Amino acid sequence: KEVIDVSSGDPHRAGMKPVSFVRQVLAVCLYPELLTDQSFPLDVRLRAQRLLEACDGGSVGSYTASSGLLHVRQSIAEFITKRDAGVPSCAKNVFISSGSQKIIVRLLASGEGEIQTGVLTPMPCPHTLPTLLDEGEVALVPYRLVEERGWAVDLDELHRAVTTARGRCQPRAIYISNPGNPTGHVQTRESIEEVIRFAAAEGLLLFVDEVYQDSMIGLDREFISYKKVLFEMGKEYAETVELVSSHSLTGFLGDLGECGQRAGYMEIVSMDPEVMHFVDTMLCTDISTPVTGQLALDLMLNPPKPGDPSYDTYTQETLLTRTTLSQNAQRALELLSDLPGISCQPAMGGIYLYPRLHLPSEFTQLAKMLEVEADVLYCQKLLEEEGVFVGAGHHGGTTNSHHVR
């Protein structure tokens, strides 16, 4: 039987077509002889030429600095400055990586003191995060998101989490996913300000996963970056609250969806220069991010402009993708809401829905007898009987409800 995998956020695997401009530029960079091929649009060949000039030896086969190609880091800084309406960004504060979560966990695990470092972590959260924290010997400090409010962050719950954690670990950071993975929730400005004030009062580093910022599917909410809000709150916060924000090709589904290119970036704000140097040193211990992925980042953040030969095609392709994503999210929500025993909060952004299972007592008792979580058993049955593969929605033991992702 054919297996339908709806657990992963891989758009190309699901049939999404790649963006012509991106693949054309990468093709020319990989095979520079195509620079003279008139069948490629002029802006494609000019962009490929500029990107090759940024690579050592004019080749994508060369290594790059541990923090990434300077040309691409400058493009990222320009994108952030434009996104945040003039709030300045500097290339020296931008680090390109194939796994920013892993780097920050390693940084936190290197903290001083004998007490284990703790990270306030939303429940639910990205399914890989608990494993990363465990591997880094960093304590996961769970805080529950409020399902009835569309999976919103609750300030009282943050205070409860940090208070109960002290004694068994030393909370040093709070992890935020905005838009939420796997919930699709998008925070309001007021909610972001509350979290920033909380982090300032508790002396916590803010680690904000914003990889789905370009995949907004709700009409009643706009994405606002944590950095923009932080700087608009004044020097009291902008110069004291340490912030690490991340974005990646994986999350840029509105345009690219190039998950396999394995490239993203993190911008670090208000961190001690010696710690920044330590981050760069840690990146040196890993193989640098694949060059084609770094180049794809540049193309993601600096697409064709009006008047460029590729502009019309690029706009048509990306608009189709965004429209399809929004329509599919609504169709999936309607379908799930009509199924017996399932309810679901609407998503405002990102690529996931996070439906709740209202399981009969007989089923939960069977799961208990088999010594397996009820939502895991549900996923197994769904795969065996219908060929549909979904992920179980673990909450780290913070709730008795059951979900799938």
Side-chain angles (χ1 to χ4, degrees), residues 237-293:
Y237 296 99
E239 295 182 355
T240 60
V241 176
E242 294 178 313
L243 170 68
V244 178
S245 59
S246 63
H247 193 7
S248 78
L249 290 170
T250 302
F252 205 87
L253 301 183
D255 285 3
L256 306 189
E258 295 278 4
C259 304
Q261 300 290 355
R262 305 309 302 159
Y265 71 81
M266 55 184 173
E267 182 187 26
I268 301 180
V269 176
S270 299
M271 191 171 284
D272 186 279
E274 290 189 15
V275 180
M276 297 274 282
H277 178 71
F278 184 68
V279 171
D280 200 25
T281 301
M282 284 195 299
L283 285 169
C284 288
T285 64
D286 288 330
I287 298 176
S288 57
T289 304
V291 176
T292 51

Side-chain angles (χ1 to χ4, degrees), residues 82-338:
K82 181 179 179 181
R83 180 199 66 188
D84 294 339
V87 176
S89 176
C90 181
K92 68 181 178 64
N93 297 330
V94 173
F95 299 84
I96 298 174
S97 169
S98 57
S100 59
Q101 288 183 352
K102 180 174 66 174
I103 296 298
I104 297 304
V105 168
R106 287 171 59 188
L107 173 65
L108 292 169
S110 303
E112 297 178 358
E114 297 180 358
I115 301 178
Q116 186 181 23
T117 292
V119 176
L120 272 68
T121 307
M123 289 290 133
C125 67
H127 68 280
T128 58
L129 185 56
T131 301
L132 281 175
L133 293 174
D134 186 57
E135 289 178 351
E137 299 183 350
V138 174
L140 186 154
V141 179
Y143 65 90
R144 295 185 297 269
L145 302 176
V146 184
E147 183 173 6
E148 296 75 19
R149 288 164 45 201
W151 299 106
V153 178
D154 182 73
L155 185 60
D156 290 338
E157 174 63 10
L158 294 181
H159 283 294
R160 181 207 63 79
V162 76
T163 300
T164 57
R166 291 203 167 102
R168 69 178 182 88
C169 69
Q170 177 59 52
R172 296 184 185 275
I174 175 172
Y175 178 91
I176 296 284
S177 179
N178 184 48
N181 175 6
T183 65
H185 177 77
V186 178
Q187 287 182 269
T188 62
R189 177 184 291 272
E190 293 73 22
S191 175
I192 293 173
E193 289 177 350
E194 283 185 346
V195 174
I196 290 173
R197 292 191 185 97
F198 169 78
E202 299 293 341
L204 301 175
L205 177 145
L206 266 172
F207 181 28
V208 187
D209 178 347
E210 296 178 326
V211 301
Y212 294 116
Q213 61 186 266
D214 303 287
S215 300
M216 297 297 295
I217 55 181
L219 300 177
D220 60 342
R221 192 68 56 86
E222 66 172 340
F223 170 79
I224 310 171
S225 77
Y226 261 75
K227 182 186 177 185
K228 184 175 190 293
V229 175
L230 176 64
F231 275 72
E232 290 176 349
M233 290 174 67
K235 291 184 178 181
E236 176 187 357
Y237 296 99
E239 295 182 355
T240 60
V241 176
E242 294 178 313
L243 170 68
V244 178
S245 59
S246 63
H247 193 7
S248 78
L249 290 170
T250 302
F252 205 87
L253 301 183
D255 285 3
L256 306 189
E258 295 278 4
C259 304
Q261 300 290 355
R262 305 309 302 159
Y265 71 81
M266 55 184 173
E267 182 187 26
I268 301 180
V269 176
S270 299
M271 191 171 284
D272 186 279
E274 290 189 15
V275 180
M276 297 274 282
H277 178 71
F278 184 68
V279 171
D280 200 25
T281 301
M282 284 195 299
L283 285 169
C284 288
T285 64
D286 288 330
I287 298 176
S288 57
T289 304
V291 176
T292 51
Q294 296 189 48
L295 302 187
L297 270 178
D298 185 90
L299 301 172
M300 171 182 91
L301 303 173
N302 187 15
K305 296 177 174 57
D308 291 346
S310 299
Y311 177 77
D312 289 344
T313 299
Y314 179 90
T315 302
Q316 291 168 7
E317 291 177 346
T318 54
L319 179 61
L320 175 61
T321 299
R322 290 174 183 267
T323 302
T324 302
L325 178 66
S326 181
Q327 290 176 346
N328 285 352
Q330 185 59 37
R331 288 171 60 194
L333 176 63
E334 293 171 357
L335 172 65
L336 289 167
S337 299
D338 287 341

